Amino acid sequence: AEYMGRSGCMLNYNQPLSEGSVCKQLQEQALKALNGVDIPTHVAAYGNTLLSGGDWVPILSNVIQSNNAQPSTVLNACENMVLSKKISVLYTKMGSQLNPQNKVVGVRQTYSPAQQMRPMGSTSLRAEVSIVVEYIDVSKGAVGQIKEPPTVYT
């Protein structure tokens, strides 16, 4: 990856897990932190793309089929928690070699495999929810073109 960024936050729960629905609620909170309220389906190919009729690229994604979070056999832990995702943005350089413009040509988001949210003490859970974004240049090398010299007739 040419550029990479990472962002995250901690998800805390400070009460004993008395019922299975708590794990499902925690998973819902983690997914809201990862996706926001409205999950985007496309990104603009250029920074100045118009909202209507512009050049938009679909986001490819592995889909979380259902919320399978559940209490663990370990006291105060949750199993099958999706807590992170990686977004890969593929771009290419377009236009003049002197002033090329970056164009997004593909985006893929991949959710991490489900994992356990481990206990921190006797009555609390803590897990990091994180997103990694990588930008990958898929440009082919520029090929300069030189015009043939004119034929001079004498």
Side-chain angles (χ1 to χ4, degrees):
E2 190 170 313
Y3 304 103
M4 189 174 279
R6 184 177 188 282
S7 180
C9 63
M10 295 302 289
L11 184 62
N12 293 308
Y13 184 75
N14 294 319
Q15 297 175 7
L17 295 178
S18 57
E19 56 187 66
S21 65
V22 171
C23 291
K24 291 190 181 299
Q25 291 170 1
L26 289 171
Q27 178 65 84
E28 291 300 320
Q29 288 179 351
L31 290 174
K32 282 182 185 175
L34 289 172
N35 298 321
V37 178
D38 295 319
I39 300 173
T41 59
H42 290 75
V43 296
Y46 295 101
N48 62 351
T49 299
L50 300 174
L51 286 177
S52 61
D55 196 3
W56 292 86
V57 178
I59 299 172
L60 304 176
S61 179
N62 64 331
V63 178
I64 299 173
Q65 298 298 331
S66 62
N67 184 343
N68 293 323
Q70 60 189 16
S72 172
T73 55
V74 176
L75 184 62
N76 288 328
C78 290
E79 297 283 348
N80 299 322
M81 300 287 288
V82 176
L83 300 172
S84 64
K85 73 177 176 180
K86 177 176 158 184
I87 301 172
S88 301
V89 180
L90 306 174
Y91 69 94
T92 188
K93 293 178 176 23
M94 301 286 290
S96 165
Q97 290 180 12
L98 297 175
N99 188 20
Q101 303 297 308
N102 291 335
K103 178 181 181 181
V104 174
V105 293
V107 177
R108 178 171 186 88
Q109 70 176 3
T110 308
Y111 291 93
S112 66
Q115 59 191 41
Q116 183 184 65
M117 189 173 176
R118 295 185 178 89
M120 301 292 289
S122 61
T123 61
S124 66
L125 286 170
R126 173 182 276 180
E128 182 181 25
V129 178
S130 63
I131 298 173
V132 172
V133 181
E134 66 178 349
Y135 297 89
I136 303 167
D137 185 353
V138 294
S139 303
K140 292 184 178 179
V143 178
Q145 296 178 349
I146 301 174
K147 188 170 181 152
E148 289 185 32
T151 306
V152 178
Y153 297 102
T154 56

